[in-house]
Amino acid sequence: MTDSKYFTTTKKGEIFELKAELNSDKKEKKKEAVKKVIASMTVGKDVSALFPDVVNCMQTDNLELKKLVYLYLMNYAKSQPDMAIMAVNTFVKDCEDLNPLIRALAVRTMGCIRVDKITEYLCEPLRKCLKDEDPYVRKTAAVCVAKLHDINAQLVEDQGFLDTLKDLISDSNPMVVANAVAALSEIAESHPNSNLLDLNPQTINKLLTALNECTEWGQIFILDCLANYSPRDDRESQSICERVTPRLSHANSAVVLSAVKVLMKFMEMLPKDLDYYGTLLKKLAPPLVTLLSAEPELQYVALRNINLIVQRRPEILKHEMKVFFVKYNDPIYVKLEKLDIMIRLASQANIAQVLAELKEYATEVDVDFVRKAVRAIGRCAIKVEQSAERCVSTLLDLIQTKVNYVVQEAIVVIKDIFRKYPNKYESVIATLCEHLESLDEPEARAAMIWIVGEYAERIDNADELLESFLEGFHDESTQVQLQLLTAIVKLFLKKPTETQELVQQVLSLATQDSDNPDLRDRGYIYWRLLSTDPVAAKEVVLAEKPLISEETDLIEPTLLEELICHIGTLASVYHKPPSAFVEGSRGVQHKRLTSSAGSGESVESPDTGSAAVSEAPPTVIPSQGDLLGDLLNLDLTPPTSTGPPPTTAPGMQLGAMDLLGGGLDSLLGGDIGGSPAMGTGFGAPPAAMPASFNAPISGGLDDLFDLGGGGGLTMGTYIPPKSVWLPAMKAKGLEISGTFVRRSGVIQMEMTLNNKAMSVMSDFAIQFNRNSFGLAPAGPLQILTPISPNQSIEAALPLSTVGPVMKMEPLNNLQVAVKNNIDVFYFSCQYPISMLFLEDGKMERQVFLATWKDIPNENESQFQIKDCHLNSDAASNKLQGSNIFTIAKRTVEGQDMLYQSMKLTNGIWVLAELRVQAGNPNYTISLKCRAPEVSQCVFQNYETVLKN
Amino acid sequence: MISQLFILSSKGDNLIYKDSSVRGEAGSDVINVFYEKVTALPGDQPPVVMNHGDLHFVHVRQGGLYWVATTTADSSPFSIIEFLNRLASLVKDYCGDLTEKAVQMNFALIYELLDEVVDYGYVQSMSSDVLKNFIQTEAVSPRPFSLFQLSNVGLFGAETQQSKVAPSSAASRPIQSSREQGGKSEIFVDVIERMSVVIGSNGVLMKADVEGEIKVKCYMPNCSEMRIGLNEEFSIGKSQLRGYGAAVRVDEVSFHQAVKLDEFDSSRILRLSPSQGEQTVMQYQLSDVLPSAPPFRLFPTIERDSGGKLLMYLKLRCDLPPKSAAINLCASIPVPKGSVSMSLELSSPDQSAELKLQSRSIEWTIPRFPGGTQLSALFKVEVPGLSPSSLMEVGPMVLNFELPKLTVSGLQVRFLRLSPVQPGPAQRWVRYVTHSDSYILRI
């Protein structure tokens, strides 16, 4: 008799028949009946009506039957909670059975029944089972705590199960330890703040000991748990590494990868000159290579992880290039992944080998793979300069095959090679031109057109070639149209005499006959440029282009760091951080690598998606006059001296991004959401910089000045005089005047509050609207005593720069709301941008040079500062007081050029070139910044600092 | 952490479904979601991990079935894949076979297994030794009763010639029946190697890797310990050479957790107490250096004859020791696009060759290829408009073959000792085989 018959009973009255069988006296018959019920359940039939009958079978000493009944119960208890209560007594009884298998079975099943009423009964038996003499029962009970926690967390805490669970970490049985660790890790994830899994050297030691004895699955839990620990120093991390290393030769690849994760993470702590560091690097390679001999599914997952590891530490696998050579029978997704890694590992030492392989791949049958292989050859050329020539000749060979898609891919990558090595390989253009007709893919056509335009002066029939494309202009894709437009304009600028007609044709096609705004706008720009100033047009269109970067497809470093912490998890397969795909924010922690140079902070405060949302209206406030109505619903904090800070900051993730124009993105820096600075909180001002930090690094004169500077205020810092921000007549007698000052790295808003009314003022509070740099009060406004009539009081408010961000006009505008017992008042003021210049804004010379070159010229702006009579040294000193640092000085023909840098609180660098000519009171200043919007403000700041 | 587990037939029918964590969430429509996703997947998309909203599917295919696990959190796909593979082999051990029918017939047993193997999504233990203490349900063997099978068992107790040779199906039966029904005591030790080789067009060996494993399949209920002796000159790593002569060397070795290695360093003996069923005792790799010449070499001449045809004269030499032979050799050579037809001459009658237009290649099959011999073939392929550059499209030649009774690494099992000494006729089988994984001869 076989079980398959269970699946075939679909007759009427089936439930009735089953009922009868379930109530039979014969054990065998009962068992068969329960099996039938479960079979129906599996295929999705509703057999919940049989609940009481099945529960009746529960009281049996036949273990097999009991297991079947429990299986049924788990499935239906949720939909039939009242019925489930019927089973409780049996559960409780079974928890005290002599047979440990039955005890465990009962505990396991009870935990799976998510019915509140049952959980109440569960506590006592669970407590007993956690201390059971049989490890099988204990390990089951440990998991049950996690189950119960998911149903009713409070209950678990109240009953003290968590402490028992912690004790189980030191259990004598490794299975129990493993389950206890797993349960604790999961519970800890849902309570990121509790230090449930309090990892200290003692517990780590326990875990490491358990590691040696656990089952392989337990080892995975333990290793994953270890990975969350931050060792105190390099010695500790070395000793953990030493004890984890043996796991690398485990047969279970999940164990291996978890061990790799721990090692990769702790390696960051080790100094690189340590012998052990080198040894560890060597030990990591073989297990990674071994992973590649597994099934294709595992291989793929392994390759995705290796891809990350190779980007972080290419040295581990630099000698293992051969293992990434593709096998003809690899599935395509494995092949593509291997190809990617091959290029990442390519270096001068192995490039010949790699190229030979790639050339073979390029003649294979699989189209996708061939395309990727051809692209890979191009990437090699760009990555390894020495190989460029060989790559180009390989590509030419491939073009000779005349296989259509190979030719097209080859042309696309040759374009990139031209962009990396201009004026080096034009000799191949003739060959490329032969294949013009066979190009039918937009990307290839666009690439070819770009090449023709770029090298128009060396291609005799460039005009004919481009003209041939022009015939079908409207059928081309946008990409090709844009490229064609640019290429013809280039051609015209190079050979104006013969091509006038052509350029007119393309301009009219682009501007008059096209609906595409991109194309039309570009057309108009060229047209106007050409018609107003052909020389300028030449400078613009034929300007020297920046070389394309070596590795365009690297994963961004911070993401890479986070992904390294997630080696062996889904995140490492998707190459996305877990927050991008794990539901909600529950248990998602941003992880960062701790480096040996870094401070203690390794795990950032979790992005809890705080419920506190700014109540400030997310609209841009048009003018001061309308301010009142819009801001009236501002919720101001009560004037308690120790009360909670205003609720502005946590809401910053909300609307800020949407409100920003595209150009402003760069202003925001990388830290907008969940930045580390968040952790500093608002109660305390940011840690004060040591005063000496401000000391100028060069120049004897400066030192002298600096000696005079006291009170934490660097000599020479320009503090604008207080100005009236809120006139008394607008604010029912309250007059506020103030200024901004930066002292020891802390921005302060210094105010004088003057009571010109007839009554006492008290209960002051302050709040800012969103602003360009996220300025926000770092604490409540400290005005402890009420201000009596005609009294004025000084108040200093420390500011932080982690508030919500919104672009303001002008950029340094700040809208403030002040509340007192009378009313709420609004004013706006402008802060000098130098408040935001950081003390560490001095750039390295080399970095300065590179950055200056790197920032495109269109981001440069020039200003004149008139009537300034300082010499260059004095100017430099003065500016240094405002954290504008002079990096180098050059004198050319009596003109002093000062190269200066400053860094804004949001991480934006501004570079400046200040020209001072002896005897000429007019300075010229050029500012370069990736966010050119700030230039105007910075210039104004220069002017005020230099003139005061 | 595993949320749900299910086994689907190749047609998408639900065979086993378990919400292993009972975390409540998604209902059983995940099965349909999964099946739709996996069948709609384009060829170049990696099928391994797929997501549907917050749910992530990880699956493997074994025995024509989909073994699927879902997970919601950022868990390790490695452990899940590894788990699914183990689960499949565990089911195979318990049910004797891995087919839709076997799974269907033994659903109660599989549910019971799952109950022990995962609790709340945490993998517990997958060792059949541990599990045998808990599992109550008997396996039902799907094998139909047949006379043919009876003859294998030795009719009337006679030791027939047939039973001396382990039939290939002997190793696929439920492990539990041996315990209960006192089935034949048998143990199989298989040394299986897969080689991937690339030989350049100039005849230089560009890459040679061997991946090997020793598998033990045990049907001996009361065998407490077994010792497997490997070649004494077996060495690991590049530096560690023992003695002179033909050392058997591998780069990397990993062992099953149950293997005790106290005698390994001194005398290359693996000690283990075998679990019932199949387990991989040792895995090893060898790269770049083969102890002997690669088994096959190709001497091609490719040209364009005066009539515009593609002429391929291929000489294939087998460098195996004379007593060995390769079997089921199949060579495939890509030909230029636009090839229409082919005429051929082969050096012996048992070979055959065919032009497959669909895959644009010639398939040349050789049923048996003894060591030290050489075969040749002349293919004339009609390619209209054959250009000199089309010749680049010829090749590389890919070989598929099997080398029975041979390990390319040279690894041998010296002895196999069981203790306590088995009463009665215990049967011990040691089998060797090498497969081609990826054997490429560039032209």
Side-chain angles (χ1 to χ4, degrees):
Chain A
M1 184 151 92
T2 67
D3 284 9
S4 62
K5 71 176 183 338
Y6 301 129
F7 289 95
T8 53
T9 49
T10 48
K11 293 178 298 255
K12 270 186 190 171
E14 179 191 10
I15 298 280
F16 185 75
E17 272 174 36
L18 283 172
K19 219 178 178 89
E21 285 176 41
L22 285 170
N23 290 318
S24 151
D25 319 333
K26 287 192 189 120
K27 222 171 259 175
E28 270 311 302
K29 202 152 195 182
K30 271 190 183 177
K31 199 161 82 185
E32 292 305 315
V34 179
K35 275 193 184 178
K36 280 184 201 165
V37 171
I38 291 172
S40 315
M41 197 170 87
T42 303
V43 293
K45 279 186 217 153
D46 183 15
V47 282
S48 57
L50 292 167
F51 201 93
D53 306 281
V54 178
V55 169
N56 275 339
C57 303
M58 203 171 162
Q59 295 190 24
T60 168
D61 45 5
N62 181 318
L63 196 54
E64 192 185 348
L65 177 56
K66 205 175 221 24
K67 280 190 158 182
L68 290 170
V69 175
Y70 273 72
L71 189 66
Y72 174 89
L73 277 179
M74 261 194 254
N75 214 356
Y76 279 116
K78 204 177 174 187
S79 56
Q80 310 266 327
D82 298 329
M83 296 281 200
I85 296 290
M86 289 166 41
V88 163
N89 277 333
T90 322
F91 277 130
V92 175
K93 214 172 97 206
D94 281 354
C95 283
E96 294 178 358
D97 199 282
L98 285 177
N99 184 345
L101 288 189
I102 293 186
R103 291 201 297 274
L105 181 63
V107 163
R108 186 166 63 208
T109 312
M110 275 173 92
C112 293
I113 299 177
R114 303 178 62 95
V115 177
D116 277 340
K117 286 178 193 158
I118 289 216
T119 51
E120 291 164 26
Y121 293 96
L122 182 57
C123 291
E124 271 324 297
L126 179 57
R127 197 185 317 281
K128 266 184 214 151
C129 289
L130 278 168
K131 304 222 160 103
D132 200 281
E133 55 180 20
D134 191 299
Y136 181 69
V137 180
R138 287 202 302 277
K139 73 133 192 164
T140 313
V143 176
C144 189
V145 175
K147 294 177 189 168
L148 190 58
H149 186 271
D150 194 40
I151 306 171
N152 190 343
Q154 197 56 43
L155 185 72
V156 171
E157 279 173 45
D158 296 345
Q159 296 278 337
F161 285 141
L162 294 181
D163 294 321
T164 325
L165 205 52
K166 277 193 214 163
D167 294 342
L168 286 184
I169 294 191
S170 345
D171 197 278
S172 58
N173 183 298
M175 274 295 291
V176 181
V177 179
N179 277 358
V181 171
L184 278 174
S185 318
E186 185 169 346
I187 296 173
E189 256 180 37
S190 55
H191 288 277
N193 298 324
S194 68
N195 51 346
L196 254 187
L197 211 55
D198 182 22
L199 293 177
N200 54 41
Q202 287 77 37
T203 42
I204 291 291
N205 205 21
K206 269 186 218 160
L207 289 178
L208 285 169
T209 316
L211 188 61
N212 293 329
E213 302 173 352
C214 243
T215 66
E216 46 197 325
W217 310 101
Q219 291 182 12
I220 300 171
F221 298 141
I222 293 179
L223 287 169
D224 286 346
C225 184
L226 277 177
N228 290 329
Y229 175 66
S230 319
R232 286 160 307 168
D233 50 30
D234 53 326
R235 292 189 55 119
E236 190 184 4
S237 62
Q238 177 174 348
S239 86
I240 295 177
C241 286
E242 276 165 0
R243 292 177 71 178
V244 168
T245 320
R247 298 299 126 207
L248 290 176
S249 54
H250 201 285
N252 185 331
S253 55
V255 175
V256 174
L257 221 65
S258 291
V260 169
K261 168 163 66 177
V262 174
L263 294 175
M264 281 296 285
K265 212 178 153 198
F266 288 9
M267 228 165 140
E268 299 285 329
M269 297 276 294
L270 298 175
K272 291 205 172 169
D273 47 353
L274 199 70
D275 286 346
Y276 181 69
Y277 180 84
T279 323
L280 199 53
L281 276 185
K282 283 202 197 90
K283 281 190 178 157
L284 277 169
L288 291 175
V289 172
T290 308
L291 291 176
L292 294 183
S293 55
E295 294 87 354
E297 291 92 357
L298 281 176
Q299 263 190 58
Y300 172 73
V301 178
L303 285 167
R304 293 292 281 176
N305 280 286
I306 289 174
N307 200 328
L308 295 175
I309 293 171
V310 161
Q311 289 185 55
R312 181 81 191 160
R313 298 199 178 278
E315 62 268 33
I316 294 178
L317 287 166
K318 67 179 173 199
H319 298 303
E320 307 290 344
M321 176 61 92
K322 276 189 181 176
V323 300
F324 298 105
F325 289 177
V326 303
K327 297 177 186 171
Y328 81 94
N329 51 353
D330 281 333
I332 178 74
Y333 52 90
V334 168
K335 282 185 177 173
L336 295 179
E337 210 54 42
K338 281 187 173 174
L339 208 53
D340 206 43
I341 295 173
M342 277 172 69
I343 298 163
R344 295 199 195 284
L345 286 176
S347 67
Q348 201 180 339
N350 55 25
I351 193 74
Q353 215 183 2
V354 173
L355 267 183
E357 280 295 308
L358 291 176
K359 193 173 173 182
E360 288 293 335
Y361 302 162
T363 56
E364 282 203 12
V365 189
D366 189 324
V367 178
D368 287 334
F369 181 58
V370 169
R371 281 175 183 274
K372 186 111 183 197
V374 176
R375 295 235 165 177
I377 297 175
R379 276 171 69 186
C380 282
I382 291 164
K383 188 169 179 206
V384 185
E385 187 165 359
Q386 293 80 358
S387 73
E389 193 149 350
R390 300 181 59 170
C391 293
V392 171
S393 75
T394 307
L395 287 170
L396 284 180
D397 285 351
L398 290 173
I399 289 177
Q400 295 305 335
T401 62
K402 296 201 168 65
V403 179
N404 188 282
Y405 51 85
V406 174
V407 174
Q408 311 215 35
E409 288 295 328
I411 286 181
V412 172
V413 295
I414 286 180
K415 179 204 70 179
D416 286 341
I417 295 176
F418 281 166
R419 289 187 57 193
K420 173 76 179 174
Y421 310 107
N423 303 321
K424 215 165 160 195
Y425 300 108
E426 311 77 74
S427 51
V428 308
I429 292 176
T431 325
L432 300 185
C433 290
E434 289 166 21
H435 296 273
L436 218 56
E437 280 79 39
S438 64
L439 307 179
D440 52 15
E441 289 164 23
E443 202 182 351
R445 287 175 81 88
M448 192 63 221
I449 293 170
W450 183 88
I451 293 172
V452 173
E454 191 64 19
Y455 295 96
E457 68 272 32
R458 319 201 185 184
I459 306 172
D460 294 333
N461 58 346
D463 48 344
E464 287 167 33
L465 292 176
L466 292 176
E467 200 169 358
S468 68
F469 281 104
L470 205 57
E471 281 158 20
F473 188 77
H474 287 298
D475 302 329
E476 300 283 2
S477 73
T478 314
Q479 190 184 12
V480 180
Q481 289 175 334
L482 286 170
Q483 214 48 264
L484 195 53
L485 172 62
T486 308
I488 291 179
V489 172
K490 278 181 191 164
L491 173 70
F492 170 72
L493 289 166
K494 287 174 177 171
K495 300 180 182 171
T497 46
E498 311 127 55
T499 56
Q500 208 157 5
E501 204 175 311
L502 193 61
V503 81
Q504 271 162 1
Q505 206 182 336
V506 76
L507 286 175
S508 78
L509 277 173
T511 53
Q512 285 158 24
D513 303 341
S514 169
D515 296 332
N516 184 323
D518 281 352
L519 187 63
R520 228 170 30 214
D521 285 359
R522 196 188 283 194
Y524 277 124
I525 290 173
Y526 283 139
W527 201 325
R528 285 178 193 146
L529 258 177
L530 292 173
S531 56
T532 48
D533 189 353
V535 181
K538 208 163 185 168
E539 271 173 29
V540 171
V541 179
L542 301 181
E544 214 161 280
K545 277 165 277 299
L547 300 183
I548 58 171
S549 72
E550 191 176 89
E551 292 256 354
T552 43
D553 46 1
L554 281 180
I555 296 179
E556 188 226 334
T558 46
L559 176 61
L560 182 62
E561 279 192 10
E562 191 177 348
L563 290 178
I564 290 280
C565 295
H566 288 282
I567 282 179
T569 66
L570 287 174
S572 67
V573 180
Y574 294 136
H575 285 185
K576 286 179 196 158
S579 49
F581 59 85
V582 174
E583 173 192 13
S585 60
R586 173 177 171 267
V588 179
Q589 301 198 343
H590 288 282
K591 296 184 181 173
R592 282 251 176 104
L593 293 173
T594 323
S595 75
S596 50
S599 62
E601 186 216 44
S602 68
V603 178
E604 273 182 40
S605 56
D607 186 359
T608 48
S610 164
V613 166
S614 166
E615 260 106 314
T619 46
V620 182
I621 300 159
S623 75
Q624 183 119 30
D626 302 334
L627 249 160
L628 259 161
D630 285 329
L631 281 179
L632 266 179
N633 52 352
L634 268 183
D635 179 30
L636 293 166
T637 42
T640 43
S641 51
T642 53
T647 54
T648 25
M652 69 190 175
Q653 299 93 325
L654 258 185
M657 291 303 274
D658 313 341
L659 285 170
L660 292 169
L664 201 71
D665 288 355
S666 49
L667 260 180
L668 297 174
D671 274 334
I672 222 193
S675 72
M678 282 280 289
T680 54
F682 304 98
M689 295 272 188
S692 62
F693 200 83
N694 277 349
I697 297 140
S698 63
L701 202 77
D702 305 326
D703 292 343
L704 278 179
F705 270 117
D706 205 41
L707 284 175
L713 185 65
T714 312
M715 181 62 189
T717 301
Y718 164 69
I719 305 170
K722 280 189 181 168
S723 57
V724 175
W725 285 340
L726 182 67
M729 53 183 291
K730 275 198 175 176
K732 302 186 178 164
L734 176 67
E735 184 191 71
I736 300 179
S737 53
T739 186
F740 292 86
V741 59
R742 186 179 181 90
R743 287 187 212 273
S744 310
V746 181
I747 307 166
Q748 296 223 4
M749 185 163 156
E750 297 191 336
M751 287 176 288
T752 308
L753 285 82
N754 201 341
N755 184 353
K756 292 188 169 170
M758 304 302 287
S759 58
V760 173
M761 290 179 180
S762 61
D763 297 354
F764 283 94
I766 191 162
Q767 199 168 38
F768 294 176
N769 195 8
R770 295 152 192 249
N771 53 69
S772 315
F773 294 95
L775 280 175
L781 185 60
Q782 302 272 358
I783 297 173
L784 302 180
T785 50
I787 312 176
S788 35
N790 277 327
Q791 189 197 359
S792 72
I793 206 166
E794 300 284 329
L797 179 73
L799 305 183
S800 70
T801 52
V802 294
V805 174
M806 180 173 77
K807 189 180 181 181
M808 300 299 291
E809 194 56 53
L811 212 56
N812 55 347
N813 195 18
L814 181 67
Q815 296 179 331
V816 183
V818 169
K819 184 195 152 212
N820 62 8
N821 56 338
I822 298 167
D823 205 340
V824 184
F825 310 105
Y826 301 90
F827 62 86
S828 67
C829 53
Q830 289 178 13
Y831 48 92
I833 201 159
S834 62
M835 291 305 110
L836 304 167
F837 293 161
L838 293 176
E839 278 69 19
D840 59 350
K842 182 155 181 164
M843 223 179 215
E844 288 293 331
R845 255 167 197 257
Q846 296 302 321
V847 184
F848 183 94
L849 275 177
T851 317
W852 185 272
K853 274 192 203 149
D854 204 12
I855 297 178
N857 281 332
E858 52 266 38
N859 283 11
E860 183 173 352
S861 32
Q862 265 196 6
F863 303 94
Q864 291 276 329
I865 301 175
K866 292 193 170 128
D867 294 310
C868 195
H869 299 281
L870 297 166
N871 68 17
S872 60
D873 284 344
S876 162
N877 288 334
K878 235 180 165 167
L879 292 168
Q880 181 136 6
S882 301
N883 290 339
I884 299 172
F885 299 95
T886 303
I887 289 159
K889 180 178 158 185
R890 202 152 62 101
T891 310
V892 181
E893 295 165 8
Q895 193 177 22
D896 286 340
M897 320 239 251
L898 297 175
Y899 294 95
Q900 299 175 315
S901 74
M902 56 225 96
K903 185 184 173 190
L904 290 165
T905 46
N906 55 4
I908 293 179
W909 288 89
V910 182
L911 310 183
E913 185 200 50
L914 184 67
R915 290 185 207 186
V916 181
Q917 194 144 25
N920 184 349
N922 295 347
Y923 294 179
T924 310
I925 177 163
S926 306
L927 293 171
K928 257 191 165 184
C929 178
R930 291 193 202 277
E933 301 90 318
V934 301
S935 300
Q936 181 67 30
C937 275
V938 173
F939 157 66
Q940 284 167 2
N941 194 64
Y942 263 90
E943 198 164 41
T944 36
V945 170
L946 288 173
K947 286 188 177 171
N948 288 287
Chain B
M1 232 164 3
I2 296 162
S3 299
Q4 289 140 327
L5 259 177
F6 43 93
I7 305 175
L8 300 187
S9 75
S10 55
K11 297 188 293 291
D13 298 331
N14 180 13
L15 303 178
I16 298 283
Y17 171 82
K18 184 170 162 64
D19 203 334
S20 68
S21 71
V22 196
R23 283 162 207 262
E25 304 108 14
S28 55
D29 65 313
V30 288
I31 294 171
N32 298 329
V33 171
F34 167 78
Y35 192 69
E36 274 165 27
K37 274 193 110 85
V38 81
T39 44
L41 206 67
D44 60 336
Q45 286 293 309
V48 186
V49 183
M50 299 183 294
N51 72 322
H52 173 73
D54 291 327
L55 209 59
H56 306 272
F57 296 104
V58 180
H59 83 279
V60 298
R61 284 199 77 166
Q62 293 246 5
L65 308 172
Y66 293 100
W67 304 71
V68 194
T70 68
T71 170
T72 47
D74 186 26
S75 53
S76 157
F78 263 102
S79 13
I80 298 178
I81 296 174
E82 189 87 48
F83 164 77
L84 291 172
N85 282 331
R86 299 276 190 96
L87 180 68
S89 63
L90 201 63
V91 169
K92 191 177 173 206
D93 282 348
Y94 269 89
C95 305
D97 204 357
L98 206 57
T99 59
E100 185 177 337
K101 201 171 173 205
V103 171
Q104 212 169 52
M105 288 170 74
N106 288 297
F107 75 94
L109 171 65
I110 295 172
Y111 273 124
E112 198 182 354
L113 271 174
L114 284 177
D115 247 2
E116 297 297 338
V117 160
V118 255
D119 190 3
Y120 197 49
Y122 307 134
V123 182
Q124 300 291 308
S125 171
M126 305 201 79
S127 133
S128 56
D129 278 343
V130 178
L131 288 170
K132 72 180 174 210
N133 301 321
F134 310 129
I135 301 301
Q136 309 292 325
T137 316
E138 278 282 327
V140 185
S141 174
R143 207 163 294 285
F145 177 86
S146 86
L147 261 177
F148 174 74
Q149 288 239 317
L150 263 186
S151 68
N152 257 342
V153 185
L155 205 52
F156 311 117
E159 278 279 299
T160 57
Q161 188 58 35
Q162 255 174 321
S163 65
K164 281 275 187 202
V165 185
S168 60
S169 65
S172 57
R173 56 181 168 132
I175 50 171
Q176 278 202 327
S177 57
S178 60
R179 183 181 70 187
E180 303 297 330
Q181 298 153 11
K184 209 163 28 167
S185 279
E186 275 180 308
I187 193 154
F188 299 84
V189 175
D190 294 346
V191 183
I192 302 161
E193 295 192 345
R194 287 171 293 157
M195 66 186 314
S196 37
V197 168
V198 177
I199 298 176
S201 49
N202 50 1
V204 176
L205 183 63
M206 296 173 68
K207 175 183 151 153
D209 289 340
V210 178
E211 293 158 6
E213 56 189 10
I214 302 180
K215 281 188 167 175
V216 171
K217 188 138 200 185
C218 176
Y219 297 101
M220 264 182 212
N222 46 1
C223 168
S224 63
E225 190 188 72
M226 81 186 265
R227 296 164 83 226
I228 306 173
L230 306 180
N231 319 38
E232 285 198 46
E233 63 275 20
F234 182 78
S235 67
I236 301 164
K238 292 207 161 59
S239 54
Q240 200 193 8
L241 277 171
R242 299 177 153 228
Y244 317 87
V248 178
R249 194 191 63 80
V250 298
D251 289 327
E252 261 295 301
V253 181
S254 60
F255 301 98
H256 189 274
Q257 201 170 11
V259 180
K260 296 184 199 73
L261 296 170
D262 44 347
E263 285 180 78
F264 185 74
D265 276 340
S266 57
S267 36
R268 296 307 187 204
I269 292 170
L270 307 172
R271 281 204 303 130
L272 70 153
S273 33
S275 315
Q276 295 292 303
E278 188 176 307
Q279 61 203 126
T280 304
V281 171
M282 174 174 135
Q283 286 173 301
Y284 55 93
Q285 263 116 51
L286 171 61
S287 46
D288 285 350
V289 193
L290 288 180
S292 50
F296 299 99
R297 279 187 181 282
L298 179 71
F299 303 92
T301 317
I302 310 270
E303 58 192 35
R304 190 168 161 243
D305 77 354
S306 48
K309 277 188 182 168
L310 174 68
L311 275 189
M312 290 198 273
Y313 182 63
L314 307 174
K315 259 197 294 187
L316 190 61
R317 199 177 74 202
C318 176
D319 288 331
L320 290 171
K323 280 182 183 167
S324 312
I327 57 169
N328 300 333
L329 186 125
C330 173
S332 125
I333 312 114
V335 291
K337 202 165 60 176
S339 302
V340 187
S341 61
M342 171 180 85
S343 62
L344 54 101
E345 289 167 35
L346 299 168
S347 62
S348 71
D350 55 337
Q351 311 166 41
S352 63
E354 198 185 341
L355 175 68
K356 299 246 163 126
L357 290 178
Q358 202 166 19
S359 58
R360 241 180 67 203
S361 62
I362 299 173
E363 301 277 330
W364 179 17
T365 47
I366 304 157
R368 193 184 138 80
F369 197 170
T373 60
Q374 182 169 302
L375 295 174
S376 59
L378 175 65
F379 301 117
K380 285 186 193 166
V381 187
E382 185 81 50
V383 190
L386 182 75
S387 69
S389 67
S390 309
L391 293 182
M392 276 182 70
E393 291 182 61
V394 177
M397 184 197 252
V398 171
L399 291 185
N400 273 306
F401 54 84
E402 195 177 313
L403 309 177
K405 293 179 252 169
L406 188 90
T407 54
V408 278
S409 69
L411 184 85
Q412 300 274 331
V413 174
R414 262 187 305 145
F415 59 79
L416 183 63
R417 287 188 196 129
L418 306 172
S419 61
V421 176
Q422 296 290 315
Q427 308 242 18
R428 291 173 294 175
W429 309 97
V430 178
R431 305 184 283 196
Y432 302 99
V433 69
T434 298
H435 295 287
S436 60
D437 185 9
S438 164
Y439 198 104
I440 297 175
L441 296 154
R442 290 187 177 153
I443 295 175

